[in-house]
Amino acid sequence: MESKKSKNVVHSEVIRTDYFSLPKSLKRKYITPFIILDQQIKRNLINGGIKTRPVNSNGLWCCSLLPAILCIYAYFYKVSLLYKIVACVSIGLLVYSCLFILFLSVSCVVLNYDTIHGGCTASTMASVLLLYVFLEQDLAFSILCAFPTLHLYNLLLRFCLLSHPKTFTVGEAMLVSQGISLLTITILIKVFYDIGESDEEMEFINTIVNTVLSTVGLIVTALYLLTDEQRNLGNLIKILLVGFIFTLMILHSIIGVGFLPKILYYIFFDKNRVQIFTFWLSLVVIAVVVLVSRTRLAVKASTVTRKAFHVLASLVFLSGLLLDVNLITLASGIGLALIILIEAIRKSQIEPISGALQSAFDVYSDDKDVGSFAMTPIYLFAALACPLALVPAHAGAPLELLAGVLAIGVGDTAASWLGSNYGFYKWRHDNNRTLEGTAFNIISQIGTVYALQLFELLSTNNMIIRASVAAVASGLVEAHTDQVDNLVLPLVSLLAFQATYVLC
């Protein structure tokens, strides 16, 4: 009896704290059913022995962010055929996500399916119909795009939740799995199909990025398949060497004999890029020096200290987005591959490299990094870079490309610093976010955009109004969500920018 009572108390407490500021009628009609659904899924996961990241909610709403952004851009803007294809496939992922949520609300048995089930098949058909009817694509091509993507999404979702306890919430697992699945199908379409993309420079960049990401994927797979006896420095060097040779062979076959001088010229000498690269290199050196010195001291870094790396990463992306979008696109693709590779080596248990990386992780790990992987730095890099992949060329693109920098590098960092030092009034008793931090979050984003406009580094129509709407949206979400900020805030900012698209 007492146990049942305590469960009811916890249930009511979660409902009360999650949306305390809304009118009661709105709570009962619209919000309460979703809270009850969320709690039912949490109970089913606990009963099934599945451990998600320990937070109050599952973040089910995250599954709609990426498909919504893709579909809005595909509908309202002039985008490439590839972009439209990916948007249609994302709708299938959203349909399956909704069905997956309904299945989880009944039982977690859906996670134990080893094969494709009815929900996945139905979601595949939704994408196939969109591709075949609205984009007038060949039926075989539509099936080849939709079926592998949905199947991969199903496998990744189960892999995230079953094989890596305490690493993801359900919503975070959905969002990460969606991103990987859509990135994979994008690369495959570019490799095996000619869909009429004519930008020679972007094709050059995409070739390099896709090759590097593919190589890292193969290296990570090889590290994963090593036995305990094979996990030594010699085998690691062999795997990296084979990966390097594979990359050279692929680039040679696609770009041509002089691919290496061409790449070096593009990075360092074309359009005076050597100055930009030198600035980035100086920031990287600063970050490495601080990281090594702090690791040697073995003193746990505070939240504010960790935000210093947010500032350094944001300076890299801000300078690239303002001065040379194509170069930062190339750099972000290679940088993401390197971060994934470093994390894979840390988890590979190959000494002494893995031990050194683990020491740095112990010092700088976030309280959200309680699972199998250090997802926070990967999320940070992906957050800053995701607008490059999601925002098509249009009048308001220069501002929207800064969504990650503004939401994470500026707003979240400002909120963390001021909230921890001067914050007094908390949003609620179980939340460490303060009203002062949120206010500074919003003001700092607007102020940054105003400064960029003042120094004529950025100029789009009604940019202050649009930035204000995005800042308020991301600031309020940052104050109330318990999902990883680095993952969701840039996408929320992009949706807010899209909501004000008429102003651009």
Side-chain angles (χ1 to χ4, degrees):
M1 184 70 178
E2 183 177 352
S3 175
K4 183 177 180 181
K5 182 178 179 180
S6 63
K7 287 182 180 180
N8 291 335
V9 171
V10 173
H11 174 67
S12 62
E13 179 69 13
V14 171
I15 293 178
R16 182 180 65 80
T17 57
D18 274 354
Y19 58 106
F20 67 98
S21 60
L22 297 175
K24 291 183 178 180
S25 59
L26 185 61
K27 294 177 185 178
R28 287 194 300 268
K29 188 173 181 180
Y30 297 106
I31 307 299
T32 301
F34 292 101
I35 299 296
I36 295 174
L37 175 67
D38 188 270
Q39 294 304 307
Q40 180 62 40
I41 291 175
K42 184 175 287 290
R43 284 192 291 269
N44 289 340
L45 292 173
I46 293 174
N47 293 336
I50 299 170
K51 297 179 181 179
T52 57
R53 195 167 62 81
V55 291
N56 287 334
S57 66
N58 291 299
L60 304 177
W61 55 276
C62 295
C63 69
S64 64
L65 293 175
L66 198 53
I69 292 171
L70 290 169
C71 291
I72 292 174
Y73 274 130
Y75 183 80
F76 288 104
Y77 297 92
K78 183 179 180 180
V79 298
S80 65
L81 176 60
L82 177 61
Y83 197 104
K84 294 178 181 178
I85 291 172
V86 173
C88 289
V89 174
S90 73
I91 294 177
L93 298 183
L94 178 60
V95 172
Y96 179 71
S97 300
C98 295
L99 293 175
F100 184 82
I101 291 171
L102 292 177
F103 294 155
L104 276 185
S105 67
V106 177
S107 171
C108 62
V109 175
V110 65
L111 288 170
N112 298 322
Y113 277 103
D114 293 327
T115 58
I116 293 293
H117 50 81
C120 196
T121 303
S123 305
T124 301
M125 294 309 300
S127 293
V128 170
L129 287 174
L130 289 171
L131 292 170
Y132 182 71
V133 176
F134 291 101
L135 295 187
E136 299 180 349
Q137 297 299 301
D138 182 73
L139 182 59
F141 175 79
S142 301
I143 294 174
L144 287 174
C145 288
F147 183 80
T149 309
L150 267 296
H151 185 44
L152 177 61
Y153 176 57
N154 177 46
L155 294 176
L156 287 173
L157 190 53
R158 293 173 59 250
F159 180 73
C160 290
L161 294 176
L162 294 177
S163 301
H164 300 288
K166 298 183 179 181
T167 304
F168 308 92
T169 64
V170 176
E172 291 166 1
M174 288 180 174
L175 186 51
V176 170
S177 300
Q178 286 175 352
I180 296 175
S181 300
L182 294 175
L183 176 61
T184 302
I185 193 61
T186 301
I187 294 175
L188 291 176
I189 292 175
K190 286 182 177 180
V191 171
F192 293 105
Y193 292 93
D194 182 11
I195 56 174
E197 302 293 337
S198 57
D199 191 331
E200 183 178 350
E201 184 175 0
M202 285 307 302
E203 284 299 311
F204 176 74
I205 292 172
N206 290 332
T207 297
I208 299 174
V209 172
N210 293 340
T211 302
V212 173
L213 287 174
S214 301
T215 303
V216 169
L218 294 175
I219 293 174
V220 171
T221 303
L223 292 174
Y224 177 78
L225 295 176
L226 289 177
T227 62
D228 293 338
E229 294 77 15
Q230 295 172 330
R231 296 181 183 275
N232 55 64
L233 190 59
N235 285 331
L236 174 61
I237 294 175
K238 291 177 183 177
I239 291 173
L240 294 177
L241 183 60
V242 170
F244 179 71
I245 295 174
F246 173 81
T247 301
L248 295 181
M249 291 175 59
I250 297 298
L251 292 177
H252 177 272
S253 63
I254 297 177
I255 299 177
V257 178
F259 71 93
L260 192 56
K262 187 175 181 179
I263 292 174
L264 293 176
Y265 177 81
Y266 182 83
I267 294 175
F268 294 105
F269 301 106
D270 191 20
K271 301 178 183 178
N272 297 319
R273 285 173 174 153
V274 64
Q275 293 92 338
I276 300 175
F277 188 81
T278 302
F279 175 66
W280 292 350
L281 185 61
S282 64
L283 295 178
V284 171
V285 171
I286 293 173
V288 171
V289 170
V290 173
L291 181 65
V292 172
S293 60
R294 188 85 184 196
T295 302
R296 288 181 177 177
L297 294 174
V299 178
K300 184 68 175 178
S302 64
T303 301
V304 176
T305 303
R306 287 193 297 271
K307 297 299 182 183
F309 289 94
H310 288 216
V311 175
L312 293 176
S314 298
L315 286 175
V316 172
F317 275 89
L318 180 62
S319 58
L321 292 170
L322 293 176
L323 301 176
D324 198 325
V325 175
N326 289 338
L327 183 62
I328 192 62
T329 301
L330 174 61
S332 61
I334 297 175
L336 179 60
L338 289 176
I339 290 177
I340 295 173
L341 179 60
I342 291 172
E343 177 61 12
I345 295 175
R346 182 183 75 87
K347 296 296 294 183
S348 66
Q349 299 178 356
I350 297 176
E351 300 301 336
I353 298 179
S354 297
L357 294 175
Q358 183 63 41
S359 298
F361 171 75
D362 293 337
V363 171
Y364 281 95
S365 61
D366 191 273
D367 55 0
K368 299 181 179 68
D369 291 320
V370 295
S372 304
F373 298 108
M375 298 303 297
T376 302
I378 299 176
Y379 289 156
L380 171 62
F381 200 92
L384 297 172
C386 71
L388 290 167
L390 297 176
V391 178
H394 67 283
L399 176 61
E400 294 167 30
L401 288 173
L402 296 175
V405 173
L406 293 174
I408 300 299
V410 177
D412 186 43
T413 302
S416 176
W417 177 79
L418 187 134
S420 60
N421 289 285
Y422 304 103
F424 181 75
Y425 297 100
K426 295 184 179 297
W427 280 96
R428 56 179 189 260
H429 73 275
D430 65 336
N431 188 341
N432 61 355
R433 274 67 178 264
T434 63
L435 294 172
E436 295 88 346
T438 301
F440 197 49
N441 182 332
I442 297 171
I443 293 172
S444 63
Q445 292 188 57
I446 300 173
T448 300
V449 174
Y450 178 76
L452 293 175
Q453 183 185 46
L454 187 65
F455 289 99
E456 298 182 350
L457 295 173
L458 187 66
S459 179
T460 60
N461 293 334
N462 299 296
M463 56 188 299
I464 299 300
I465 298 176
R466 301 188 72 208
S468 300
V469 173
V472 170
S474 64
L476 292 177
V477 171
E478 188 273 337
H480 294 289
T481 187
D482 48 12
Q483 307 305 298
V484 177
D485 297 338
N486 294 351
L487 185 63
V488 301
L489 292 187
L491 301 181
V492 171
S493 290
L494 278 179
L495 284 174
F497 280 129
Q498 290 175 335
T500 59
Y501 81 95
V502 294
L503 298 178
C504 71

